[in-house]
Amino acid sequence: MRYSPWITTPHRPDTRDARHILAFPAFAGKSAEDLAVAVWSYCVNSDFGFYHFWSPEEKTVDDPESPGYVQDPLSLVNSYGSFLCGTVARVESWLWDKAGLGGRLVGITGHVVSEAFYDGGWHLLDADLHAYHRHHPPRHHIIASVADCMDDLSLITDQQNPSDPYYLDDRPPESSAKGCYGPHAATYYPRYSKELRTMDYFLRPGEEIVRFYGPMGRWFAPPSWLANAERYAAEWGDDGPRERFAPHRTYGNGYLRYRPDLTGESIFQGALKSEGFAPGTDGLVAELDASSLEIPVVSPYVINGIRDDWKNTHASHDGAVLSVTTLANAPLRILVSTDDGVSFRSVDTVVKDAGDGAETCSADFTPLVENYYRYVLRIESDAAGTILKDLDLTTWFRLWPGTLPVLMAGDNEVVLEAGMPATVPVTVRMTHRLDEYLVSCSGTRVDEDTTKLRTEDGSLEAVFRLAPPYGSIAGMYFFASFHPAPPDERCYEATFEWAPSEEGPWTLFHRAEVPHEVPGQGHWPWGDGACFSCTGEPLSEVFVRVRSPFDMWEAEARMDVADVFPAQPDSHPLEAEFTVEIDGAELTRSLSLRPGENRTVSSLSLPASPVMKSIRLSVKE
């Protein structure tokens, strides 16, 4: 049994993916305006919705020194929960698309909003400033668009049927109408949606994931926040992101902790590679002079550490920490990879005497893995006879507490799922390196800087080869962005196909209509992507063919990788524990999943309304 557990209660949406979010009862049976408003209400909900704060940024493997805005909706929803206008507009538009409505982003003066398409027209529902506007009677049953509001500011300033809520306290309708919906033209951005993350992860025997409903000091401030803190001093406190209005919500933290039994076989069920190590009575024994062990860490949330000075974006600690106790006093080398084992970087270690002939080798490598979601830890020994007695690996992450399940007074139905089958989401950024993945192209040339594919005759065709660094491909999400179509009356489309080999057979998995550029608004790229599942057995490589009448600007993929670990025997139970506080006293409530079970439903009872403290999921040895 390889667990990727998930636990839910009926009081909050299940945020593991868009399908589960939209299965929340608040969306049930709704369509058109009712569905659009339900999505908006989810986004602005004062309990589990999102709050206004500076948008998060993350490092990438390609450019770790220059963080960029987070665009993946699942990361935004689960790891962050606080963003500025353009980011929350992207999340809202993504949910409308997934719900079957159209969604688009619109830029106005100093602000970005999203519009939903239904009943033959576009309708503005602003999830950042918390407002939408109905027309004046007799059309008061219709929600206005951006264009409607710009034509008639009284729809904002003299709204007779306001939404609930209606604007933030320090962004009243009068100033918003004047500042955002003035005489300047709106910019209508074309579709651009990436889904490069999943919430899949693994718990191995001897591993636990603990999630806290409050902060533990671990968050990342990108360089852009330094200027924001000076410019918007009223919105900032040195203790991290925080909602400036009641209920003053803030971030949460959690950790994955792996403490395997090194005297048995379970360590090999959680390792990518092992060379020269074998279990022994006292621990893991190096039988060769060159022995190594590679342990992957896959987090569903973004990895973060502590900063003694939040303005120093590089000096973080206590986000990824390793402690290994060894016998025979042989030195170890510790290395870390953030590109799935393709390359490794050495980690500084501290060695201390642990008594009785043992030593403890410790390493804090937080700066190397912060802002990532997975890494590979490599332990090397050059001396046969070295014994790894104990191993303790802790990885901290940031999360949005609004996505965690809550308990209430009385009986609570709690669902605990094993979460199988699960895959490791391996992201491949081909942008700036298209030539490394391109195996053939026609009607196309690669730019000198390899950032774009230029069509030479209006019929771009490019074939990419993708292979995982480990395991095999069970499915894939492929994203590409393109130059928009000219502002004419013709219809254009781009197609995405996949095949198990370069010769085929090819299967169409996505067809996208190319949006037209808006005259006078520049050549904004549009981007789209889709998923496919490999038929039959997982594959060692996959080929994707993209056809477009216009230049291709970017390409990225998420390989859903299976067969990462050996199969585990059905002998390790999964345990879950809620910790709450009632009247100043801590209480725990537990449930478990027996070996071989995939799902269990339990009822947990509380005598009064609790303060939620933490959830622990663990797999026992």
Side-chain angles (χ1 to χ4, degrees), residues 52 54-55 83-89 106-114 126 128-129 146 150 167-168 171 175-187 189 231-232 235 244:
H52 180 96
W54 310 328
S55 292
F83 359 89
L84 291 179
C85 54
T87 306
V88 72
V106 186
I108 52 181
T109 304
H111 193 38
V112 177
V113 296
S114 47
D126 186 345
D128 178 53
L129 299 187
V146 169
M150 297 183 82
Y167 283 95
L168 300 177
R171 303 287 199 280
S175 63
S176 297
K178 182 179 179 181
C180 300
Y181 295 88
H184 300 288
T187 299
Y189 299 110
R231 184 179 179 184
Y232 306 106
E235 299 183 14
R244 64 184 185 275

Side-chain angles (χ1 to χ4, degrees), residues 529-550:
C531 296
F532 63 86
S533 297
C534 298
T535 54
E537 295 297 317
L539 301 171
S540 60
E541 62 180 11
V542 159
F543 294 81
V544 175
R545 182 166 67 189
V546 179
R547 290 170 168 163
S548 168
F550 305 105

Side-chain angles (χ1 to χ4, degrees), residues 268-285:
F268 302 118
Q269 297 168 3
L272 278 182
K273 298 177 183 178
S274 176
E275 297 180 2
F277 279 110
T281 304
D282 294 321
L284 205 59
V285 182

